Amino acid sequence: NNKEMIVLDRPNPCDYVEGPILKPAYGVFVGMLPIPVLHGCTIGELARMINGEGWIAHKKNPCSLKVIPATGWIHGEPYSLPIKPSPNLPNDQSIRLYASLCPFEATRVSVGGEDISFPSIGRTQQENGDFTFTPRSLPGFDKNPMHKNVVCYGEDLRNADDVNGFTLRYFLNFYRLSGESAAFFSRAQWFDLLMGTDSVRKAILKGESEEAIRNSWQKELQDYKKMETNIFFMNKNKYHTFILFHKSLITKAISMIDNYYLRYLSYLYY
């Protein structure tokens, strides 16, 4: 429509690149783009990627796009959202675990309850764990949580500190404990849509390990990372390359240079 689109950029609190790449056949509202579960971009960088890769209108840079960059944050730094982005994501821990616990939406496993949300998982069967909680309807949270007002047994993840990105280990653990095989996926199609592919579910049903499943998407993930480091944007009708400096590589390099420089000055002075 010959209108300029302006994006006010902001930090990404889940600053990781991991998971399977979405296949075109599984593109719906929950995921439309050929990107992994965790894409590692800010909203402005993602906009540049969508525009530059021709994912809209089937041509590159069809949109007059302007990104107002965020300040005070770079990739690799933690970021706490000032307000919760969703009723069931009230804190940093729930956001950190979200990608790894979201697949449970396609099962009969409850994710959170009582005065905690998302940092706990459980089912009504006692063999699922020693930790107990009772999902309840709370103001500002899910009004109808899975297994509402029923005691659940599982895991308390409020203090879990070994999850950085996306893992299937929680899902695989509950799947194996259930002994239900395909029936564990109460909404198999929804699981495939969340993953962006049916290959993960099929691999789980075959009994493959998390390592094997993760290895299955590494080739496509590496291709995505290469594309991610070259995001094209338009400036005065010329294409330039915008490099994403992940994990603060530039900052670390500058810090090293500063340290050596200070040592050199100290050597000259003393």
Side-chain angles (χ1 to χ4, degrees):
N1 297 322
N2 296 318
K3 302 289 185 180
E4 182 181 45
M5 180 177 181
I6 301 176
V7 177
L8 304 180
D9 210 359
R10 58 184 180 181
N12 182 349
C14 264
D15 188 29
Y16 302 96
V17 179
E18 189 55 82
I21 303 293
L22 184 142
K23 302 294 188 295
Y26 297 90
V28 293
F29 181 75
V30 71
M32 304 177 183
L33 306 172
I35 59 179
V37 171
L38 291 177
H39 54 70
C41 294
T42 67
I43 193 68
E45 293 163 351
L46 188 59
R48 286 194 180 104
M49 183 183 293
I50 294 170
N51 202 37
E53 292 297 321
W55 290 341
I56 53 176
H58 304 291
K59 62 179 181 179
K60 292 188 175 183
N61 296 288
C63 175
S64 177
L65 175 66
K66 181 179 181 180
V67 176
I68 308 300
T71 60
W73 180 88
I74 57 176
H75 285 288
E77 292 183 343
Y79 179 74
S80 296
L81 291 174
I83 59 174
K84 60 183 182 181
S86 171
N88 286 346
L89 297 176
N91 50 51
D92 292 344
Q93 183 72 340
S94 61
I95 293 172
R96 177 191 294 178
L97 292 165
Y98 178 66
S100 302
L101 302 188
C102 187
F104 283 111
E105 290 182 7
T107 72
R108 295 292 297 170
V109 174
S110 177
V111 185
E114 296 183 344
D115 63 339
I116 53 179
S117 185
F118 267 85
S120 61
I121 46 179
R123 301 179 79 199
T124 55
Q125 295 83 358
Q126 294 187 17
E127 63 268 19
N128 288 285
D130 297 328
F131 175 70
T132 62
F133 63 94
T134 304
R136 303 188 189 282
S137 177
L138 299 171
F141 290 85
D142 189 353
K143 294 182 178 179
N144 295 290
M146 180 73 68
H147 304 310
K148 180 179 177 180
N149 298 327
V150 177
V151 176
C152 293
Y153 302 83
E155 294 186 50
D156 179 4
L157 303 178
R158 283 173 292 182
N159 297 314
D161 59 2
D162 57 348
V163 176
N164 293 304
F166 174 66
T167 179
L168 285 169
R169 71 171 177 273
Y170 298 122
F171 192 92
L172 291 174
N173 181 48
F174 272 78
Y175 168 78
R176 290 160 183 159
L177 286 172
S178 75
E180 295 172 347
S181 191
F184 182 75
F185 297 89
S186 56
R187 295 194 293 164
Q189 184 180 13
W190 182 242
F191 182 87
D192 294 346
L193 292 176
L194 291 173
M195 293 292 99
T197 175
D198 63 354
S199 62
V200 176
R201 178 175 54 84
K202 290 179 177 179
I204 292 173
L205 292 174
K206 289 179 181 178
E208 294 185 13
S209 66
E210 178 176 16
E211 182 181 7
I213 297 173
R214 294 174 74 91
N215 287 339
S216 69
W217 64 59
Q218 289 306 310
K219 171 61 170 63
E220 290 183 331
L221 194 64
Q222 293 306 314
D223 292 340
Y224 167 80
K225 288 179 179 180
K226 292 177 183 177
M227 175 184 65
E228 185 189 37
T229 57
N230 292 280
I231 299 176
F232 297 96
F233 65 100
M234 186 175 289
N235 182 16
K236 296 181 180 179
N237 298 319
K238 293 183 179 180
Y239 293 103
H240 300 270
T241 301
F242 183 84
I243 306 299
L244 299 181
F245 298 111
H246 283 283
K247 308 308 176 188
S248 309
L249 291 179
I250 295 301
T251 299
K252 291 179 180 178
I254 293 174
S255 178
M256 290 176 64
I257 293 171
D258 287 343
N259 286 336
Y260 282 120
Y261 182 66
L262 289 173
R263 290 178 184 176
Y264 178 69
L265 290 180
S266 177
Y267 171 79
L268 291 178
Y269 183 80
Y270 291 107

